[in-house]
Amino acid sequence: MKLSASGDDLGSDIHVPADIDWHMLDKSKFFFLGAALFSGVSAGLYPAMVLKTRQQVSSTQISCFKMSFSIMRCEGLRGFYRGFGTTLMGTIPARALYMGALEVTKTSVGRSTVRLGFSDTTATAIASAAAGLSSAMAAQLVWTPIDVVSQRLMVQAPNASPCRYKNGLDAFRKILFADGFKGLYRGFGISMLTYAPSNAVWWASYSVANKLIYGGLGWSDNIRRSESKATAVAVQGLSAAMASGVSALITTPLDTIKTRLQVLDKEENGVRKPLTMLQTVRNLVKESGLAACYRGLGPRWASMSLSATTMITTYELLKRLSAKNQES
């Protein structure tokens, strides 16, 4: 998003490479290439998500190494990709909603904040935060049911007897039959509470870090375009890693509670019922105190940092590839 420069910005000699606005994109190419690129990213990062989920639902603290060894020994490589097919199916519409809401909001809010007299840096941060908030809310409409189903498959042991799910479709059908439509939206409220503010903070932090790093590098207009692109990728990756570290640390307790709400049940008189948020928190504290809320922090932090770095560089590449009338 290219915002008009203002006098109190990082300096008149600083040139942050112009972003590509929503109206400049070939929408069909943007969504098609986006689905392909982000599917590849999801495949690479999925094992870390399986580790994180299993650690969060475990009643005892288990290290990443022991958990990885156990999965490989008992289930083989396939164990690290349980539920991946379901996740991949959901990623395409969820990402489409996410990217569409992100770009539309960022462009419209960015222009409005500039007209209100905010500096370029402040306007970018506000627009990015609003875009992050709206895109996360839009994506969760699709992602929460996918999350519920895929996480059930992730934590399922190979030879589990009760409520054994054959595949994603079977899990979807059984959850719908047992709990109704609301069963697919377990943890929707806390998902919004976790991802919407986190996404807003991440995008705002990323945009500010991006500008500050460019300012520190002394990026000027006379830098050749070929050099600018290489530097831009490095700056984008560093900014993304910085923004995701803090976000993971703040939101992991909420993510742990969300995962348990979506996966675990209680049993009363032989009938399985969903846990409430209060019961989930009480069980966590009873198991290992407040430290239990940070189970899975390691793989989640690594996954978020790698995902954010890969996502933002892929996203910027996607926008360049999807720009209208671009020269080869």
Side-chain angles (χ1 to χ4, degrees):
M1 175 184 57
K2 186 178 181 181
L3 302 176
S4 60
S6 59
D8 57 348
D9 202 2
L10 296 174
S12 59
D13 61 330
I14 303 303
H15 171 68
V16 178
D19 203 351
I20 299 170
D21 281 343
W22 178 246
H23 69 277
M24 299 164 64
L25 295 172
D26 180 330
K27 309 302 186 296
S28 58
K29 186 184 291 186
F30 180 69
F31 288 121
F32 179 78
L33 288 175
L37 288 170
F38 285 112
S39 294
V41 172
S42 297
L45 299 174
Y46 196 77
M49 295 304 296
V50 173
L51 280 175
K52 183 269 301 183
T53 302
R54 292 204 181 191
Q55 282 188 316
Q56 287 178 331
V57 301
S58 174
S59 57
T60 57
Q61 181 67 41
I62 303 176
S63 69
C64 289
F65 178 77
K66 286 184 178 179
M67 182 71 76
S68 300
F69 181 76
S70 175
I71 294 173
M72 182 60 74
R73 185 186 61 184
C74 300
E75 306 170 51
L77 188 62
R78 183 181 178 183
F80 290 98
Y81 282 90
R82 288 193 175 276
F84 179 65
T86 302
T87 299
L88 194 60
M89 290 289 290
T91 295
I92 296 172
R95 283 291 182 188
L97 277 172
Y98 184 94
M99 293 186 296
L102 184 75
E103 287 303 316
V104 171
T105 307
K106 192 192 292 186
T107 300
S108 58
V109 174
R111 289 171 178 167
S112 299
T113 49
V114 168
R115 282 197 292 267
L116 289 172
F118 288 98
S119 69
D120 192 39
T121 303
T122 304
T124 301
I126 293 172
S128 297
L133 188 68
S134 66
S135 59
M137 292 175 69
Q140 282 305 311
L141 294 172
V142 174
W143 191 250
T144 297
I146 298 300
D147 218 15
V148 170
V149 173
S150 63
Q151 286 180 147
R152 298 282 184 100
L153 295 171
M154 284 181 195
V155 302
Q156 182 174 255
N159 300 312
S161 50
C163 203
R164 168 80 168 151
Y165 303 125
K166 297 177 182 178
N167 49 46
L169 187 61
D170 183 53
F172 180 87
R173 182 178 58 81
K174 287 180 176 176
I175 294 169
L176 199 61
F177 179 77
D179 301 325
F181 191 71
K182 66 179 182 180
L184 295 170
Y185 278 89
R186 266 204 211 181
F188 179 72
I190 197 167
S191 292
M192 285 290 195
L193 189 62
T194 301
Y195 294 123
S198 171
N199 217 38
V201 170
W202 190 94
W203 277 104
S205 301
Y206 169 78
S207 65
V208 172
N210 200 266
K211 280 183 173 290
L212 291 176
I213 293 171
Y214 276 127
L217 289 173
W219 191 290
S220 59
D221 287 331
N222 60 5
I223 297 179
R224 295 201 317 267
R225 181 173 291 272
S226 59
E227 296 173 334
S228 300
K229 287 181 179 178
T231 307
V233 171
V235 172
Q236 289 159 5
L238 179 59
S239 301
M242 290 168 60
S244 60
V246 177
S247 181
L249 193 62
I250 293 172
T251 60
T252 291
L254 288 172
D255 187 65
T256 301
I257 295 168
K258 173 196 73 70
T259 300
R260 287 194 161 213
L261 278 172
Q262 292 177 332
V263 172
L264 301 181
D265 293 313
K266 62 180 179 179
E267 192 166 325
E268 291 182 0
N269 302 322
V271 179
R272 299 175 70 86
K273 295 183 178 179
L275 288 166
T276 64
M277 189 180 299
L278 184 60
Q279 289 169 332
T280 301
V281 173
R282 190 183 296 136
N283 290 343
L284 272 170
V285 174
K286 189 187 296 182
E287 287 170 13
S288 304
L290 292 175
C293 294
Y294 280 92
R295 283 183 187 157
L297 175 62
R300 185 167 188 259
W301 192 317
S303 175
M304 283 186 69
S305 296
L306 287 171
S307 177
T309 304
T310 308
M311 181 272 291
I312 198 65
T313 52
T314 303
Y315 190 68
E316 297 295 345
L317 171 64
L318 170 64
K319 289 171 71 175
R320 289 197 298 271
L321 291 174
S322 305
K324 294 177 181 177
N325 301 322
Q326 68 169 6
E327 296 178 1
S328 60

